[in-house]
Each structure stands twice: as structure tokens, then as C-alpha cells.
């Protein structure tokens, strides 16, 4: 737990367990601080963790070096309705491997330069960059005109 990294990272309900540099990238292993979540099926509080798997999620760079978050994905078991649910994290879109703020940053870059250039600059597949840009653009249009677009 490094207070300074927690402040710099600024993600809700998380703390940095440790940080390491691997091949020019930073990998930050996080721990989630909330001990329970609401069941999406019956709204009861779930405290029993059934299993935890880790995923790597791309975040904004630090000092020009790519940052990857080693995030725990916790599956809870609900004692009320007996169903299993994987915790949703507010800073990562479901089934995405990028933080919301990274996707927003890609969108902002794409407004200033071609998506092909963005793709080359960040060394990411052009199709992935195009998909992120399109999803963010649709979300921004939805906010502007009062419609909701889920990502």
C-alpha cells in the first residue's frame, strides 16, 4: 500500500499493493477495499467471495510509460438468492481491458489526429482504437442530446 501511488492513480475503493516495471511498462497490482457488493439480482449485500481472478487492464501512462492494472475480478455468492455474480468496477467497462479514462483519452486523441496515427503512437491495433473511439463518440452524443447509450 503506497499512499502516493493511490493518490496518483485516483481510482475509487482501490489501493496499490505493489508496483513493478516490466519491459518498459508499469504493472500496478491493486486490492479492492470494499468488502461487499449489492447483488444485481435481488439487491441483498453479498460478502462471501466465491473466487478471485486477476485481469490486466490498460490505464493512462505515467512518465511516458504504459501502465497496466492487475485487477482482481471477484465473484460473489449471494446468500439470499443463491446466485453468483462477478463484481462490476465503475472505472472499467464490462468485458473491456481498458479503464474508462484510457478510452476517453483515446477518444480525445482521435479528435485531434487520425485514428491510424493514434494506433501507431500507442502501439494498439487500429480496429481496437476505432472501436473505442466510436463507442466514446456515441456516448458523448447521447450525453449531448439526453439519450442514454450503454457501453
Amino acid at each position: 500500500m503506497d499512499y502516493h501511488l493511490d493518490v496518483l492513480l485516483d481510482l475509487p475503493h482501490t489501493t496499490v499493493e505493489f508496483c513493478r516495471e516490466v519491459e518498459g511498462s508499469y504493472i500496478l497490482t491493486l486490492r479492492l477495499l470494499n468488502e461487499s457488493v449489492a447483488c444485481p439480482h435481488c439487491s441483498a449485500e453479498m460478502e462471501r467471495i466465491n473466487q478471485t481472478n486477476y485481469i490486466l487492464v490498460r490505464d493512462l501512462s505515467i512518465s511516458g510509460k504504459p501502465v497496466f492494472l492487475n485487477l482482481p475480478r471477484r465473484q460473489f455468492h449471494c446468500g439470499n438468492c443463491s446466485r453468483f455474480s462477478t463484481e462490476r468496477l465503475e472505472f472499467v467497462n464490462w468485458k473491456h481491458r481498458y479503464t474508462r479514462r484510457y478510452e476517453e483519452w483515446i477518444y480525445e486523441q482521435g479528435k485531434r489526429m487520425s485514428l491510424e496515427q493514434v494506433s501507431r503512437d500507442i502501439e494498439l491495433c487500429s480496429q481496437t482504437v476505432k472501436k473505442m473511439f466510436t463507442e466514446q463518440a456515441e456516448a458523448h452524443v447521447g450525453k449531448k442530446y439526453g439519450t442514454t447509450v450503454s457501453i
Side-chain angles (χ1 to χ4, degrees):
M1 291 190 244
D2 185 323
Y3 170 76
H4 299 293
L5 282 176
D6 291 346
V7 169
L8 285 173
L9 199 57
D10 192 28
L11 293 174
H13 313 294
T14 64
T15 188
V16 177
E17 288 283 284
F18 58 91
C19 173
R20 66 182 195 265
E21 187 176 356
V22 177
E23 298 178 8
S25 297
Y26 294 119
I27 299 177
L28 307 177
T29 298
L30 303 184
R31 180 169 51 93
L32 301 174
L33 299 176
N34 56 322
E35 295 182 12
S36 67
V37 296
C39 176
H41 307 288
C42 72
S43 300
E45 280 297 306
M46 299 185 294
E47 295 177 348
R48 184 173 154 240
I49 297 174
N50 181 56
Q51 67 180 355
T52 302
N53 295 309
Y54 282 80
I55 61 169
L56 276 180
V57 174
R58 179 73 159 89
D59 196 19
L60 296 174
S61 298
I62 295 176
S63 297
K65 293 184 181 183
V67 171
F68 294 89
L69 307 177
N70 192 22
L71 281 177
R73 294 303 295 220
R74 304 182 300 183
Q75 182 188 65
F76 286 84
H77 179 261
C78 180
N80 189 50
C81 69
S82 297
R83 295 177 80 172
F84 294 93
S85 298
T86 300
E87 178 179 23
R88 303 259 178 157
L89 301 173
E90 62 188 84
F91 53 90
V92 178
N93 287 321
W94 187 247
K95 295 190 179 182
H96 287 205
R97 297 295 180 149
Y98 309 95
T99 60
R100 290 178 190 268
R101 64 187 176 197
Y102 185 71
E103 292 178 344
E104 177 69 27
W105 180 82
I106 296 246
Y107 172 70
E108 292 300 324
Q109 296 303 303
K111 290 188 331 188
R112 297 180 322 121
M113 63 181 88
S114 75
L115 297 181
E116 290 77 20
Q117 183 62 45
V118 174
S119 174
R120 281 191 300 273
D121 289 352
I122 61 173
E123 298 176 358
L124 194 59
C125 169
S126 61
Q127 291 299 90
T128 302
V129 170
K130 183 177 180 182
K131 181 178 181 211
M132 278 194 267
F133 181 85
T134 302
E135 288 176 353
Q136 289 295 314
E138 289 171 355
H140 280 268
V141 167
K143 287 179 192 173
K144 183 175 180 180
Y145 294 106
T147 59
T148 58
V149 177
S150 61
I151 299 178

